[in-house]
Amino acid sequence: MPIIWVLECLEKFAECSLDSALLAGKVEQSCSSVTAVAIGVIFGITNTFRPFSDDIFRYDFKEPFKLQNGWLLWAGIGLFFALVSISLTGAVMTFLNGETTQRETDSLGLLLPLIGSSNISTACLLGITGVLAPILEETVFRGFLMVSLTMWFSTPVSVLITAVVFAFAHLTPGEIPQLFVLGVALGFSYSQTRNLLTPITQFMLLG
């Protein structure tokens, strides 16, 4: 699964010493290549197995604030919904558990000590976590999986199924509820615009 490839790249990056800027650059280049290959494979699959809608994998910068389907407007709406939902979910989990839920350390968390260690490593980190990961994940989950599911299920059901897969794919069991509501928010905003810039922007802002 493409997302696992990115996580493996991130884990290798986290194992680097703080001064290994050159190696960090090589890892970013590797992750960029994996991202390009993974997206290329997805595009190839959709071109082989038809029919898909004409607006699949649409990245359109036009009319960002159009009320009906403006990609930036609905990214903002989805972001607000995601923040509120995640906060409420966290509060409910805290109430049920009787204590504050501790955030699990995943691959991204292991990378935090590298921030600021050098300009190159910081730039690489921002490129991987802030750009490559959102583009790849949203292309896979919303652009491919969710669109594929709408061929057999209604849009709301497709959003929910995709959100479940999205939550479990991050391999952090303690954060599955929050990741699920995030996936719902991403799927909801994407369904309004059919433009992948919407969930990608939303994901980047949340990151």
Side-chain angles (χ1 to χ4, degrees):
M1 189 173 182
I3 184 61
I4 301 301
W5 300 343
V6 172
L7 290 176
E8 289 177 353
C9 287
L10 293 174
E11 288 172 354
K12 292 179 181 179
F13 192 16
E15 294 172 356
C16 299
S17 64
L18 298 182
D19 297 325
S20 56
L22 180 59
L23 182 56
K26 291 182 178 179
V27 173
E28 184 192 30
Q29 183 178 7
S30 175
C31 289
S32 300
S33 300
V34 169
T35 300
V37 170
I39 292 178
V41 170
I42 294 171
F43 273 76
I45 291 174
T46 57
N47 285 330
T48 302
F49 298 97
R50 295 289 183 179
F52 279 100
S53 58
D54 294 333
D55 58 356
I56 189 172
F57 298 137
R58 186 165 69 94
Y59 306 87
D60 189 357
F61 286 92
K62 297 178 181 177
E63 300 180 319
F65 297 104
K66 186 177 180 180
L67 182 60
Q68 182 179 4
N69 58 1
W71 64 271
L72 190 54
L73 173 64
W74 282 97
I77 294 174
L79 177 62
F80 174 78
F81 173 76
L83 291 174
V84 172
S85 301
I86 292 172
S87 298
L88 290 175
T89 302
V92 170
M93 292 180 64
T94 299
F95 175 77
L96 294 176
N97 294 332
E99 59 182 8
T100 302
T101 303
Q102 298 295 323
R103 177 180 174 85
E104 295 186 27
T105 302
D106 54 12
S107 296
L108 297 181
L110 295 174
L111 295 174
L112 293 179
L114 294 174
I115 295 178
S117 61
S118 71
N119 292 333
I120 294 179
S121 63
T122 300
C124 290
L125 276 173
L126 293 177
I128 294 171
T129 62
V131 179
L132 295 182
I135 291 175
L136 178 57
E137 289 195 26
E138 291 313 300
T139 299
V140 171
F141 290 108
R142 255 55 64 175
F144 178 68
L145 178 59
M146 180 177 155
V147 171
S148 300
L149 289 172
T150 56
M151 298 173 62
W152 295 281
F153 304 101
S154 65
T155 297
V157 173
S158 299
V159 169
L160 294 176
I161 295 175
T162 304
V164 170
V165 177
F166 174 79
F168 279 93
H170 281 79
L171 306 178
T172 51
E175 296 180 359
I176 285 178
Q178 291 96 326
L179 289 168
F180 172 74
V181 297
L182 172 59
V184 171
L186 292 169
F188 168 76
S189 58
Y190 173 67
S191 68
Q192 298 299 313
T193 65
R194 303 289 290 187
N195 187 344
L196 282 171
L197 291 179
T198 301
I200 289 173
T201 302
Q202 187 177 333
F203 203 149
M204 287 180 177
L205 293 175
L206 282 170

